[in-house]
PDB file of all heavy atoms in Angstrom:
ATOM      1  N   ALA A   1      56.862   8.804 -12.455  1.00  0.00           N
ATOM      2  CA  ALA A   1      56.896   7.645 -11.679  1.00  0.00           C
ATOM      3  C   ALA A   1      55.909   6.690 -12.211  1.00  0.00           C
ATOM      4  O   ALA A   1      56.278   5.439 -12.223  1.00  0.00           O
ATOM      5  CB  ALA A   1      56.629   7.994 -10.114  1.00  0.00           C
ATOM      6  N   ALA A   2      54.797   7.059 -12.483  1.00  0.00           N
ATOM      7  CA  ALA A   2      53.746   6.136 -13.061  1.00  0.00           C
ATOM      8  C   ALA A   2      54.197   5.485 -14.372  1.00  0.00           C
ATOM      9  O   ALA A   2      54.118   4.312 -14.580  1.00  0.00           O
ATOM     10  CB  ALA A   2      52.457   6.829 -13.243  1.00  0.00           C
ATOM     11  N   GLU A   3      54.821   6.289 -15.199  1.00  0.00           N
ATOM     12  CA  GLU A   3      55.316   5.675 -16.451  1.00  0.00           C
ATOM     13  C   GLU A   3      56.500   4.712 -16.186  1.00  0.00           C
ATOM     14  O   GLU A   3      56.605   3.716 -16.889  1.00  0.00           O
ATOM     15  CB  GLU A   3      55.842   6.796 -17.421  1.00  0.00           C
ATOM     16  CG  GLU A   3      54.637   7.625 -17.985  1.00  0.00           C
ATOM     17  CD  GLU A   3      55.124   8.848 -18.766  1.00  0.00           C
ATOM     18  OE1 GLU A   3      56.288   9.412 -18.569  1.00  0.00           O
ATOM     19  OE2 GLU A   3      54.254   9.422 -19.487  1.00  0.00           O
ATOM     20  N   ARG A   4      57.307   4.992 -15.217  1.00  0.00           N
ATOM     21  CA  ARG A   4      58.332   4.088 -14.838  1.00  0.00           C
ATOM     22  C   ARG A   4      57.845   2.759 -14.287  1.00  0.00           C
ATOM     23  O   ARG A   4      58.316   1.709 -14.700  1.00  0.00           O
ATOM     24  CB  ARG A   4      59.257   4.757 -13.816  1.00  0.00           C
ATOM     25  CG  ARG A   4      60.482   3.930 -13.439  1.00  0.00           C
ATOM     26  CD  ARG A   4      61.554   4.703 -12.588  1.00  0.00           C
ATOM     27  NE  ARG A   4      62.576   3.759 -12.244  1.00  0.00           N
ATOM     28  CZ  ARG A   4      63.458   4.024 -11.243  1.00  0.00           C
ATOM     29  NH1 ARG A   4      63.402   5.131 -10.722  1.00  0.00           N
ATOM     30  NH2 ARG A   4      64.384   3.137 -11.072  1.00  0.00           N
ATOM     31  N   ILE A   5      56.843   2.836 -13.493  1.00  0.00           N
ATOM     32  CA  ILE A   5      56.137   1.571 -12.930  1.00  0.00           C
ATOM     33  C   ILE A   5      55.628   0.832 -14.107  1.00  0.00           C
ATOM     34  O   ILE A   5      55.878  -0.377 -14.182  1.00  0.00           O
ATOM     35  CB  ILE A   5      55.009   2.033 -12.003  1.00  0.00           C
ATOM     36  CG1 ILE A   5      55.553   2.671 -10.735  1.00  0.00           C
ATOM     37  CG2 ILE A   5      54.162   0.804 -11.812  1.00  0.00           C
ATOM     38  CD1 ILE A   5      54.471   3.323  -9.849  1.00  0.00           C
ATOM     39  N   GLU A   6      54.989   1.372 -15.059  1.00  0.00           N
ATOM     40  CA  GLU A   6      54.434   0.773 -16.246  1.00  0.00           C
ATOM     41  C   GLU A   6      55.521   0.198 -17.121  1.00  0.00           C
ATOM     42  O   GLU A   6      55.429  -1.008 -17.429  1.00  0.00           O
ATOM     43  CB  GLU A   6      53.606   1.731 -17.008  1.00  0.00           C
ATOM     44  CG  GLU A   6      53.036   1.217 -18.308  1.00  0.00           C
ATOM     45  CD  GLU A   6      52.103   0.090 -18.212  1.00  0.00           C
ATOM     46  OE1 GLU A   6      51.412  -0.044 -17.145  1.00  0.00           O
ATOM     47  OE2 GLU A   6      51.838  -0.688 -19.232  1.00  0.00           O
ATOM     48  N   ASN A   7      56.482   0.945 -17.458  1.00  0.00           N
ATOM     49  CA  ASN A   7      57.638   0.512 -18.308  1.00  0.00           C
ATOM     50  C   ASN A   7      58.406  -0.631 -17.713  1.00  0.00           C
ATOM     51  O   ASN A   7      58.929  -1.539 -18.535  1.00  0.00           O
ATOM     52  CB  ASN A   7      58.573   1.695 -18.601  1.00  0.00           C
ATOM     53  CG  ASN A   7      57.890   2.740 -19.495  1.00  0.00           C
ATOM     54  OD1 ASN A   7      56.926   2.418 -20.253  1.00  0.00           O
ATOM     55  ND2 ASN A   7      58.406   3.924 -19.465  1.00  0.00           N
ATOM     56  N   GLU A   8      58.581  -0.658 -16.366  1.00  0.00           N
ATOM     57  CA  GLU A   8      59.315  -1.743 -15.783  1.00  0.00           C
ATOM     58  C   GLU A   8      58.521  -2.909 -15.373  1.00  0.00           C
ATOM     59  O   GLU A   8      58.984  -3.891 -14.818  1.00  0.00           O
ATOM     60  CB  GLU A   8      60.031  -1.144 -14.573  1.00  0.00           C
ATOM     61  CG  GLU A   8      61.152  -0.165 -14.913  1.00  0.00           C
ATOM     62  CD  GLU A   8      61.984   0.404 -13.772  1.00  0.00           C
ATOM     63  OE1 GLU A   8      61.891  -0.222 -12.606  1.00  0.00           O
ATOM     64  OE2 GLU A   8      62.717   1.331 -13.966  1.00  0.00           O
ATOM     65  N   GLY A   9      57.208  -2.789 -15.661  1.00  0.00           N
ATOM     66  CA  GLY A   9      56.270  -4.001 -15.460  1.00  0.00           C
ATOM     67  C   GLY A   9      56.211  -4.254 -13.909  1.00  0.00           C
ATOM     68  O   GLY A   9      55.876  -5.365 -13.526  1.00  0.00           O
ATOM     69  N   LYS A  10      56.228  -3.194 -13.109  1.00  0.00           N
ATOM     70  CA  LYS A  10      55.974  -3.361 -11.686  1.00  0.00           C
ATOM     71  C   LYS A  10      54.536  -3.482 -11.296  1.00  0.00           C
ATOM     72  O   LYS A  10      53.600  -2.947 -12.000  1.00  0.00           O
ATOM     73  CB  LYS A  10      56.749  -2.208 -10.851  1.00  0.00           C
ATOM     74  CG  LYS A  10      58.055  -2.103 -11.246  1.00  0.00           C
ATOM     75  CD  LYS A  10      58.947  -3.238 -10.783  1.00  0.00           C
ATOM     76  CE  LYS A  10      60.410  -2.956 -11.031  1.00  0.00           C
ATOM     77  NZ  LYS A  10      61.225  -4.167 -10.640  1.00  0.00           N
ATOM     78  N   GLY A  11      54.262  -4.029 -10.175  1.00  0.00           N
ATOM     79  CA  GLY A  11      52.920  -3.982  -9.563  1.00  0.00           C
ATOM     80  C   GLY A  11      52.601  -2.652  -8.913  1.00  0.00           C
ATOM     81  O   GLY A  11      53.535  -2.007  -8.593  1.00  0.00           O
ATOM     82  N   CYS A  12      51.339  -2.382  -8.803  1.00  0.00           N
ATOM     83  CA  CYS A  12      50.993  -1.012  -8.253  1.00  0.00           C
ATOM     84  C   CYS A  12      49.595  -1.084  -7.693  1.00  0.00           C
ATOM     85  O   CYS A  12      48.734  -1.640  -8.260  1.00  0.00           O
ATOM     86  CB  CYS A  12      51.197   0.067  -9.363  1.00  0.00           C
ATOM     87  SG  CYS A  12      50.749   1.719  -8.653  1.00  0.00           S
ATOM     88  N   VAL A  13      49.472  -0.479  -6.522  1.00  0.00           N
ATOM     89  CA  VAL A  13      48.139  -0.164  -5.951  1.00  0.00           C
ATOM     90  C   VAL A  13      48.157   1.368  -5.602  1.00  0.00           C
ATOM     91  O   VAL A  13      49.078   1.883  -5.003  1.00  0.00           O
ATOM     92  CB  VAL A  13      47.923  -0.939  -4.657  1.00  0.00           C
ATOM     93  CG1 VAL A  13      46.624  -0.575  -4.013  1.00  0.00           C
ATOM     94  CG2 VAL A  13      47.937  -2.470  -4.970  1.00  0.00           C
ATOM     95  N   ILE A  14      47.128   2.065  -6.077  1.00  0.00           N
ATOM     96  CA  ILE A  14      47.123   3.441  -5.919  1.00  0.00           C
ATOM     97  C   ILE A  14      46.237   3.645  -4.540  1.00  0.00           C
ATOM     98  O   ILE A  14      45.103   3.220  -4.491  1.00  0.00           O
ATOM     99  CB  ILE A  14      46.385   4.147  -7.028  1.00  0.00           C
ATOM    100  CG1 ILE A  14      47.217   3.985  -8.321  1.00  0.00           C
ATOM    101  CG2 ILE A  14      46.141   5.635  -6.687  1.00  0.00           C
ATOM    102  CD1 ILE A  14      46.485   4.396  -9.573  1.00  0.00           C
ATOM    103  N   VAL A  15      46.852   4.292  -3.572  1.00  0.00           N
ATOM    104  CA  VAL A  15      46.250   4.507  -2.300  1.00  0.00           C
ATOM    105  C   VAL A  15      45.820   6.007  -2.102  1.00  0.00           C
ATOM    106  O   VAL A  15      46.805   6.839  -2.242  1.00  0.00           O
ATOM    107  CB  VAL A  15      47.083   4.049  -1.092  1.00  0.00           C
ATOM    108  CG1 VAL A  15      46.397   4.275   0.142  1.00  0.00           C
ATOM    109  CG2 VAL A  15      47.376   2.519  -1.284  1.00  0.00           C
ATOM    110  N   VAL A  16      44.657   6.314  -1.983  1.00  0.00           N
ATOM    111  CA  VAL A  16      44.195   7.640  -1.705  1.00  0.00           C
ATOM    112  C   VAL A  16      43.967   7.775  -0.130  1.00  0.00           C
ATOM    113  O   VAL A  16      42.931   7.209   0.376  1.00  0.00           O
ATOM    114  CB  VAL A  16      42.970   8.058  -2.481  1.00  0.00           C
ATOM    115  CG1 VAL A  16      42.435   9.377  -2.056  1.00  0.00           C
ATOM    116  CG2 VAL A  16      43.116   7.867  -3.936  1.00  0.00           C
ATOM    117  N   ASN A  17      44.796   8.403   0.526  1.00  0.00           N
ATOM    118  CA  ASN A  17      44.673   8.526   2.004  1.00  0.00           C
ATOM    119  C   ASN A  17      43.996   9.828   2.299  1.00  0.00           C
ATOM    120  O   ASN A  17      43.624  10.577   1.560  1.00  0.00           O
ATOM    121  CB  ASN A  17      46.151   8.528   2.578  1.00  0.00           C
ATOM    122  CG  ASN A  17      46.161   8.334   4.151  1.00  0.00           C
ATOM    123  OD1 ASN A  17      45.222   7.800   4.710  1.00  0.00           O
ATOM    124  ND2 ASN A  17      47.195   8.928   4.800  1.00  0.00           N
ATOM    125  N   LYS A  18      43.703   9.917   3.626  1.00  0.00           N
ATOM    126  CA  LYS A  18      42.912  11.061   4.149  1.00  0.00           C
ATOM    127  C   LYS A  18      41.481  11.081   3.706  1.00  0.00           C
ATOM    128  O   LYS A  18      40.927  12.157   3.598  1.00  0.00           O
ATOM    129  CB  LYS A  18      43.645  12.397   3.786  1.00  0.00           C
ATOM    130  CG  LYS A  18      45.089  12.499   4.363  1.00  0.00           C
ATOM    131  CD  LYS A  18      45.070  12.743   5.807  1.00  0.00           C
ATOM    132  CE  LYS A  18      46.550  12.969   6.153  1.00  0.00           C
ATOM    133  NZ  LYS A  18      46.695  13.024   7.617  1.00  0.00           N
ATOM    134  N   TRP A  19      40.978  10.022   3.281  1.00  0.00           N
ATOM    135  CA  TRP A  19      39.675   9.903   2.752  1.00  0.00           C
ATOM    136  C   TRP A  19      38.629  10.308   3.748  1.00  0.00           C
ATOM    137  O   TRP A  19      37.536  10.892   3.326  1.00  0.00           O
ATOM    138  CB  TRP A  19      39.348   8.452   2.318  1.00  0.00           C
ATOM    139  CG  TRP A  19      38.119   8.306   1.448  1.00  0.00           C
ATOM    140  CD1 TRP A  19      36.952   7.517   1.692  1.00  0.00           C
ATOM    141  CD2 TRP A  19      37.870   8.944   0.139  1.00  0.00           C
ATOM    142  NE1 TRP A  19      36.088   7.635   0.678  1.00  0.00           N
ATOM    143  CE2 TRP A  19      36.591   8.553  -0.295  1.00  0.00           C
ATOM    144  CE3 TRP A  19      38.576   9.813  -0.708  1.00  0.00           C
ATOM    145  CZ2 TRP A  19      36.037   9.001  -1.487  1.00  0.00           C
ATOM    146  CZ3 TRP A  19      38.039  10.249  -1.877  1.00  0.00           C
ATOM    147  CH2 TRP A  19      36.772   9.797  -2.137  1.00  0.00           C
ATOM    148  N   ASP A  20      38.818  10.251   5.034  1.00  0.00           N
ATOM    149  CA  ASP A  20      37.930  10.699   6.109  1.00  0.00           C
ATOM    150  C   ASP A  20      37.776  12.191   6.104  1.00  0.00           C
ATOM    151  O   ASP A  20      36.857  12.798   6.640  1.00  0.00           O
ATOM    152  CB  ASP A  20      38.434  10.266   7.438  1.00  0.00           C
ATOM    153  CG  ASP A  20      39.805  10.751   7.790  1.00  0.00           C
ATOM    154  OD1 ASP A  20      40.734  10.686   6.900  1.00  0.00           O
ATOM    155  OD2 ASP A  20      39.998  11.027   9.023  1.00  0.00           O
ATOM    156  N   THR A  21      38.716  12.949   5.478  1.00  0.00           N
ATOM    157  CA  THR A  21      38.678  14.468   5.589  1.00  0.00           C
ATOM    158  C   THR A  21      37.877  14.961   4.399  1.00  0.00           C
ATOM    159  O   THR A  21      37.597  16.140   4.358  1.00  0.00           O
ATOM    160  CB  THR A  21      40.011  15.027   5.462  1.00  0.00           C
ATOM    161  OG1 THR A  21      40.624  14.657   4.137  1.00  0.00           O
ATOM    162  CG2 THR A  21      41.010  14.624   6.535  1.00  0.00           C
ATOM    163  N   VAL A  22      37.419  14.127   3.420  1.00  0.00           N
ATOM    164  CA  VAL A  22      36.522  14.571   2.433  1.00  0.00           C
ATOM    165  C   VAL A  22      35.141  14.654   2.893  1.00  0.00           C
ATOM    166  O   VAL A  22      34.450  13.694   3.340  1.00  0.00           O
ATOM    167  CB  VAL A  22      36.659  13.621   1.159  1.00  0.00           C
ATOM    168  CG1 VAL A  22      35.575  13.998   0.091  1.00  0.00           C
ATOM    169  CG2 VAL A  22      38.030  13.505   0.654  1.00  0.00           C
ATOM    170  N   PRO A  23      34.482  15.893   2.870  1.00  0.00           N
ATOM    171  CA  PRO A  23      33.112  16.093   3.400  1.00  0.00           C
ATOM    172  C   PRO A  23      32.092  15.561   2.447  1.00  0.00           C
ATOM    173  O   PRO A  23      32.301  15.487   1.206  1.00  0.00           O
ATOM    174  CB  PRO A  23      33.056  17.559   3.552  1.00  0.00           C
ATOM    175  CG  PRO A  23      33.949  18.170   2.526  1.00  0.00           C
ATOM    176  CD  PRO A  23      35.065  17.172   2.339  1.00  0.00           C
ATOM    177  N   ASP A  24      30.986  15.136   3.007  1.00  0.00           N
ATOM    178  CA  ASP A  24      29.729  14.663   2.405  1.00  0.00           C
ATOM    179  C   ASP A  24      30.065  13.786   1.264  1.00  0.00           C
ATOM    180  O   ASP A  24      29.554  13.994   0.086  1.00  0.00           O
ATOM    181  CB  ASP A  24      29.040  15.930   1.740  1.00  0.00           C
ATOM    182  CG  ASP A  24      28.734  16.979   2.986  1.00  0.00           C
ATOM    183  OD1 ASP A  24      28.330  16.507   4.053  1.00  0.00           O
ATOM    184  OD2 ASP A  24      28.846  18.085   2.763  1.00  0.00           O
ATOM    185  N   LYS A  25      30.794  12.720   1.498  1.00  0.00           N
ATOM    186  CA  LYS A  25      31.125  11.711   0.419  1.00  0.00           C
ATOM    187  C   LYS A  25      29.887  10.841   0.144  1.00  0.00           C
ATOM    188  O   LYS A  25      29.107  10.536   0.932  1.00  0.00           O
ATOM    189  CB  LYS A  25      32.191  10.771   0.910  1.00  0.00           C
ATOM    190  CG  LYS A  25      33.534  11.418   1.182  1.00  0.00           C
ATOM    191  CD  LYS A  25      34.538  10.408   1.595  1.00  0.00           C
ATOM    192  CE  LYS A  25      34.355   9.722   2.838  1.00  0.00           C
ATOM    193  NZ  LYS A  25      34.475  10.605   4.108  1.00  0.00           N
ATOM    194  N   ASP A  26      29.791  10.389  -1.086  1.00  0.00           N
ATOM    195  CA  ASP A  26      28.855   9.411  -1.526  1.00  0.00           C
ATOM    196  C   ASP A  26      29.480   8.683  -2.718  1.00  0.00           C
ATOM    197  O   ASP A  26      30.650   8.837  -2.942  1.00  0.00           O
ATOM    198  CB  ASP A  26      27.563  10.043  -1.948  1.00  0.00           C
ATOM    199  CG  ASP A  26      27.629  11.005  -3.076  1.00  0.00           C
ATOM    200  OD1 ASP A  26      28.646  11.090  -3.789  1.00  0.00           O
ATOM    201  OD2 ASP A  26      26.640  11.815  -3.293  1.00  0.00           O
ATOM    202  N   ASN A  27      28.683   7.770  -3.292  1.00  0.00           N
ATOM    203  CA  ASN A  27      29.200   6.995  -4.454  1.00  0.00           C
ATOM    204  C   ASN A  27      29.744   7.825  -5.529  1.00  0.00           C
ATOM    205  O   ASN A  27      30.714   7.532  -6.282  1.00  0.00           O
ATOM    206  CB  ASN A  27      28.273   5.975  -4.960  1.00  0.00           C
ATOM    207  CG  ASN A  27      28.074   4.847  -3.910  1.00  0.00           C
ATOM    208  OD1 ASN A  27      28.853   4.623  -3.112  1.00  0.00           O
ATOM    209  ND2 ASN A  27      26.902   4.155  -4.050  1.00  0.00           N
ATOM    210  N   LYS A  28      29.089   8.903  -5.768  1.00  0.00           N
ATOM    211  CA  LYS A  28      29.492   9.883  -6.786  1.00  0.00           C
ATOM    212  C   LYS A  28      30.829  10.536  -6.594  1.00  0.00           C
ATOM    213  O   LYS A  28      31.650  10.669  -7.463  1.00  0.00           O
ATOM    214  CB  LYS A  28      28.420  10.977  -7.050  1.00  0.00           C
ATOM    215  CG  LYS A  28      28.477  11.807  -8.312  1.00  0.00           C
ATOM    216  CD  LYS A  28      27.547  12.825  -8.377  1.00  0.00           C
ATOM    217  CE  LYS A  28      26.145  12.308  -8.833  1.00  0.00           C
ATOM    218  NZ  LYS A  28      25.161  13.338  -9.150  1.00  0.00           N
ATOM    219  N   THR A  29      31.091  10.807  -5.338  1.00  0.00           N
ATOM    220  CA  THR A  29      32.368  11.309  -4.889  1.00  0.00           C
ATOM    221  C   THR A  29      33.456  10.392  -5.243  1.00  0.00           C
ATOM    222  O   THR A  29      34.501  10.930  -5.814  1.00  0.00           O
ATOM    223  CB  THR A  29      32.385  11.625  -3.393  1.00  0.00           C
ATOM    224  OG1 THR A  29      31.223  12.382  -2.999  1.00  0.00           O
ATOM    225  CG2 THR A  29      33.569  12.375  -2.970  1.00  0.00           C
ATOM    226  N   THR A  30      33.330   9.088  -4.940  1.00  0.00           N
ATOM    227  CA  THR A  30      34.332   8.121  -5.309  1.00  0.00           C
ATOM    228  C   THR A  30      34.558   8.142  -6.805  1.00  0.00           C
ATOM    229  O   THR A  30      35.821   8.115  -7.211  1.00  0.00           O
ATOM    230  CB  THR A  30      33.901   6.782  -4.803  1.00  0.00           C
ATOM    231  OG1 THR A  30      33.704   6.885  -3.343  1.00  0.00           O
ATOM    232  CG2 THR A  30      34.963   5.745  -5.014  1.00  0.00           C
ATOM    233  N   LEU A  31      33.624   8.166  -7.541  1.00  0.00           N
ATOM    234  CA  LEU A  31      33.655   8.106  -8.987  1.00  0.00           C
ATOM    235  C   LEU A  31      34.424   9.418  -9.585  1.00  0.00           C
ATOM    236  O   LEU A  31      35.315   9.198 -10.363  1.00  0.00           O
ATOM    237  CB  LEU A  31      32.370   8.016  -9.686  1.00  0.00           C
ATOM    238  CG  LEU A  31      31.564   6.720  -9.556  1.00  0.00           C
ATOM    239  CD1 LEU A  31      30.203   6.715 -10.083  1.00  0.00           C
ATOM    240  CD2 LEU A  31      32.447   5.590 -10.089  1.00  0.00           C
ATOM    241  N   LEU A  32      34.136  10.474  -8.949  1.00  0.00           N
ATOM    242  CA  LEU A  32      34.859  11.754  -9.388  1.00  0.00           C
ATOM    243  C   LEU A  32      36.241  11.749  -8.985  1.00  0.00           C
ATOM    244  O   LEU A  32      37.131  12.094  -9.853  1.00  0.00           O
ATOM    245  CB  LEU A  32      34.166  12.942  -8.745  1.00  0.00           C
ATOM    246  CG  LEU A  32      32.754  13.333  -9.266  1.00  0.00           C
ATOM    247  CD1 LEU A  32      32.187  14.445  -8.444  1.00  0.00           C
ATOM    248  CD2 LEU A  32      32.739  13.714 -10.707  1.00  0.00           C
ATOM    249  N   TYR A  33      36.608  11.271  -7.898  1.00  0.00           N
ATOM    250  CA  TYR A  33      38.064  11.143  -7.403  1.00  0.00           C
ATOM    251  C   TYR A  33      38.694  10.107  -8.369  1.00  0.00           C
ATOM    252  O   TYR A  33      39.839  10.264  -8.713  1.00  0.00           O
ATOM    253  CB  TYR A  33      38.138  10.744  -5.955  1.00  0.00           C
ATOM    254  CG  TYR A  33      38.215  11.916  -4.956  1.00  0.00           C
ATOM    255  CD1 TYR A  33      37.106  12.582  -4.663  1.00  0.00           C
ATOM    256  CD2 TYR A  33      39.417  12.345  -4.489  1.00  0.00           C
ATOM    257  CE1 TYR A  33      37.126  13.645  -3.788  1.00  0.00           C
ATOM    258  CE2 TYR A  33      39.518  13.313  -3.646  1.00  0.00           C
ATOM    259  CZ  TYR A  33      38.360  14.068  -3.270  1.00  0.00           C
ATOM    260  OH  TYR A  33      38.402  15.076  -2.440  1.00  0.00           O
ATOM    261  N   GLU A  34      38.079   9.012  -8.628  1.00  0.00           N
ATOM    262  CA  GLU A  34      38.710   7.963  -9.475  1.00  0.00           C
ATOM    263  C   GLU A  34      39.066   8.591 -10.900  1.00  0.00           C
ATOM    264  O   GLU A  34      39.969   8.291 -11.351  1.00  0.00           O
ATOM    265  CB  GLU A  34      37.860   6.719  -9.569  1.00  0.00           C
ATOM    266  CG  GLU A  34      38.482   5.719 -10.491  1.00  0.00           C
ATOM    267  CD  GLU A  34      37.827   4.343 -10.338  1.00  0.00           C
ATOM    268  OE1 GLU A  34      36.968   4.174  -9.517  1.00  0.00           O
ATOM    269  OE2 GLU A  34      38.255   3.466 -11.183  1.00  0.00           O
ATOM    270  N   GLN A  35      38.025   9.302 -11.435  1.00  0.00           N
ATOM    271  CA  GLN A  35      38.256   9.892 -12.734  1.00  0.00           C
ATOM    272  C   GLN A  35      39.494  10.834 -12.671  1.00  0.00           C
ATOM    273  O   GLN A  35      40.327  10.836 -13.644  1.00  0.00           O
ATOM    274  CB  GLN A  35      37.038  10.729 -13.217  1.00  0.00           C
ATOM    275  CG  GLN A  35      35.879   9.886 -13.613  1.00  0.00           C
ATOM    276  CD  GLN A  35      34.624  10.691 -13.905  1.00  0.00           C
ATOM    277  OE1 GLN A  35      34.523  11.792 -13.460  1.00  0.00           O
ATOM    278  NE2 GLN A  35      33.879  10.086 -14.818  1.00  0.00           N
ATOM    279  N   GLU A  36      39.558  11.581 -11.611  1.00  0.00           N
ATOM    280  CA  GLU A  36      40.702  12.494 -11.526  1.00  0.00           C
ATOM    281  C   GLU A  36      42.047  11.791 -11.394  1.00  0.00           C
ATOM    282  O   GLU A  36      43.031  12.060 -12.074  1.00  0.00           O
ATOM    283  CB  GLU A  36      40.560  13.488 -10.274  1.00  0.00           C
ATOM    284  CG  GLU A  36      41.575  14.488 -10.281  1.00  0.00           C
ATOM    285  CD  GLU A  36      41.358  15.514  -9.173  1.00  0.00           C
ATOM    286  OE1 GLU A  36      40.197  15.641  -8.628  1.00  0.00           O
ATOM    287  OE2 GLU A  36      42.378  16.160  -8.622  1.00  0.00           O
ATOM    288  N   VAL A  37      42.024  10.714 -10.573  1.00  0.00           N
ATOM    289  CA  VAL A  37      43.264   9.949 -10.401  1.00  0.00           C
ATOM    290  C   VAL A  37      43.659   9.190 -11.806  1.00  0.00           C
ATOM    291  O   VAL A  37      44.785   9.213 -12.116  1.00  0.00           O
ATOM    292  CB  VAL A  37      43.117   8.894  -9.214  1.00  0.00           C
ATOM    293  CG1 VAL A  37      44.278   7.950  -9.246  1.00  0.00           C
ATOM    294  CG2 VAL A  37      42.988   9.536  -7.931  1.00  0.00           C
ATOM    295  N   ARG A  38      42.646   8.660 -12.336  1.00  0.00           N
ATOM    296  CA  ARG A  38      42.941   7.987 -13.612  1.00  0.00           C
ATOM    297  C   ARG A  38      43.398   8.957 -14.752  1.00  0.00           C
ATOM    298  O   ARG A  38      44.307   8.590 -15.500  1.00  0.00           O
ATOM    299  CB  ARG A  38      41.644   7.273 -14.137  1.00  0.00           C
ATOM    300  CG  ARG A  38      41.168   6.244 -13.241  1.00  0.00           C
ATOM    301  CD  ARG A  38      42.008   4.984 -13.340  1.00  0.00           C
ATOM    302  NE  ARG A  38      41.460   3.921 -12.463  1.00  0.00           N
ATOM    303  CZ  ARG A  38      42.221   2.949 -11.931  1.00  0.00           C
ATOM    304  NH1 ARG A  38      43.488   2.945 -12.182  1.00  0.00           N
ATOM    305  NH2 ARG A  38      41.727   2.047 -11.149  1.00  0.00           N
ATOM    306  N   GLU A  39      42.901  10.100 -14.698  1.00  0.00           N
ATOM    307  CA  GLU A  39      43.414  11.184 -15.676  1.00  0.00           C
ATOM    308  C   GLU A  39      44.849  11.582 -15.426  1.00  0.00           C
ATOM    309  O   GLU A  39      45.563  11.610 -16.381  1.00  0.00           O
ATOM    310  CB  GLU A  39      42.474  12.404 -15.568  1.00  0.00           C
ATOM    311  CG  GLU A  39      42.870  13.458 -16.581  1.00  0.00           C
ATOM    312  CD  GLU A  39      41.892  14.597 -16.496  1.00  0.00           C
ATOM    313  OE1 GLU A  39      40.620  14.420 -16.437  1.00  0.00           O
ATOM    314  OE2 GLU A  39      42.396  15.745 -16.398  1.00  0.00           O
ATOM    315  N   LYS A  40      45.198  11.752 -14.142  1.00  0.00           N
ATOM    316  CA  LYS A  40      46.586  12.158 -13.890  1.00  0.00           C
ATOM    317  C   LYS A  40      47.567  10.949 -14.044  1.00  0.00           C
ATOM    318  O   LYS A  40      48.748  11.179 -14.420  1.00  0.00           O
ATOM    319  CB  LYS A  40      46.611  12.569 -12.324  1.00  0.00           C
ATOM    320  CG  LYS A  40      45.936  14.003 -12.233  1.00  0.00           C
ATOM    321  CD  LYS A  40      46.023  14.459 -10.800  1.00  0.00           C
ATOM    322  CE  LYS A  40      45.314  15.792 -10.772  1.00  0.00           C
ATOM    323  NZ  LYS A  40      45.285  16.352  -9.363  1.00  0.00           N
TER     324      LYS A  40
END
């Protein structure tokens, strides 16, 4: 689906929901999640 969005030149915002369920979040947590999302 990500490749299709890119190939068709569509706009996209990636939304990570349920952020309130992640325990003990800090700025490092956000960076780790972003790395994982960017990798996938």
Side-chain angles (χ1 to χ4, degrees):
E3 289 173 343
R4 184 172 176 188
I5 291 167
E6 175 67 18
N7 292 337
E8 294 184 11
K10 303 296 183 181
C12 181
V13 175
I14 299 168
V15 179
V16 177
N17 192 25
K18 304 284 187 188
W19 193 241
D20 59 320
T21 64
V22 177
D24 303 320
K25 295 181 295 290
D26 59 18
N27 289 339
K28 192 182 281 187
T29 308
T30 304
L31 292 173
L32 291 172
Y33 269 79
E34 182 169 349
Q35 285 177 333
E36 186 176 336
V37 169
R38 296 286 181 207
E39 184 178 308
K40 289 180 180 178

